[in-house]
Amino acid sequence: GAGVSQSPRYKVAKRGQDVALRCDPISGHVSLFWYQQALGQGPEFLTYFQNEAQLDKSGLPSDRFFAERPEGSVSTLKIQRTQQEDSAVYLCASSLGRIRSYGYTFGSGTRLTVV
Amino acid sequence: KQEVTQIPAALSVPEGENLVLNCSFTDSAIYNLQWFRQDPGKGLTSLLLIQSSQREQTSGRLNASLDKSSGRSTLYIAASQPGDSATYLCAVAGGTSYGKLTFGQGTILTVHP
């Protein structure tokens, strides 16, 4: 597609529920990132994929967070046993190349509210 | 650990004013710096990307400068319009080959008619 697509746009989860957030990057983009943006803050890095390989997951806040990109295109961020502090906007970004010289295209995000 | 700070946190100006948004970062070993715009409830739109070897980039009414040695960047918006109202985020890529971004907290800009 023309841009990075994320679904759902909004998700309300009861505390303790598992959720799955989907990201469709721009076709052919090698690099894929997930960021978490709390209200009133800048986005913070969660994890990075180069094709299907997860090369950096240093930003994942706990072992309840899991991300995958099995075929090197669509990616899913899964949060198990959601907590209120998980409430945030989750942004996905993709980039054409493997290296830092390329810019990034962000999706519109998924706003997760845990009640 | 890289830290990015944006000043001011919020700015309200009348239409037509020229304005400057500031961004500073603590680790000058960056590969590039990017300015984004974020509208309420929306994702990020890339405005300008400055590579570490560059001093500035321009796009229409926007001009961004980079002084890597002093850890500073400015975004200059000429002849501001109400449609420029948004949150502006500065982000630096460094420390990894793939360009993991560290963001500032943003400047909330309001341009009133």
Side-chain angles (χ1 to χ4, degrees), chain B residues 49-106:
Chain B
L49 170 67
I50 311 176
Q51 303 294 349
S52 61
S53 58
Q54 297 175 321
R55 297 284 292 182
E56 66 176 341
Q57 282 285 344
T58 298
S59 176
R61 293 183 294 108
L62 306 180
N63 175 276
S65 67
L66 173 63
D67 185 342
K68 199 173 80 162
S69 61
S70 68
R72 294 180 183 177
S73 176
T74 59
L75 177 66
Y76 177 83
I77 303 177
S80 58
Q81 303 171 357
D84 295 331
S85 298
T87 297
Y88 289 81
L89 291 158
C90 166
V92 297
T96 64
S97 63
Y98 49 85
K100 177 170 67 176
L101 296 176
T102 302
F103 284 84
Q105 291 184 308

Side-chain angles (χ1 to χ4, degrees), chain A residues 7 21 24-25 32 34 39-40 42 45 55-56 70 74 76 89-90 94 97 100 102 108 114:
Chain A
S7 61
L21 312 179
D24 279 273
L32 186 145
W34 284 97
L39 188 63
F45 172 81
L55 299 187
D56 188 342
V74 172
T76 303
V89 175
Y90 291 84
S94 70
R100 55 194 176 268
Y102 293 90
S108 298
V114 181

Side-chain angles (χ1 to χ4, degrees), chain A residues 9 33 35 37 41-43 45 48 56 58 91 98-101 103-104 106-108, chain B residues 31-32 34 36 38 41-44 46 49 51 89 97-101 103-105:
Chain A
R9 286 296 313 278
F33 300 81
Y35 288 83
Q37 186 176 23
Q41 303 295 315
F45 172 81
Y48 166 70
D56 188 342
S58 63
L91 295 165
R98 297 181 180 84
I99 61 174
R100 55 194 176 268
S101 298
Y104 309 87
F106 278 81
S108 298
Chain B
Y31 299 120
N32 61 52
Q34 199 161 0
F36 293 90
Q38 186 172 34
K42 301 289 180 63
L44 279 63
S46 178
L49 170 67
Q51 303 294 349
L89 291 158
S97 63
Y98 49 85
K100 177 170 67 176
L101 296 176
F103 284 84
Q105 291 184 308

Side-chain angles (χ1 to χ4, degrees), chain A residues 64-84:
Chain A
R64 296 185 295 103
F65 287 70
F66 172 78
E68 60 183 6
R69 193 186 185 197
E71 298 179 356
S73 55
V74 172
S75 177
T76 303
L77 176 67
K78 298 179 179 178
I79 309 173
Q80 298 177 325
R81 305 181 303 282
T82 51
Q83 303 294 316
Q84 284 191 322

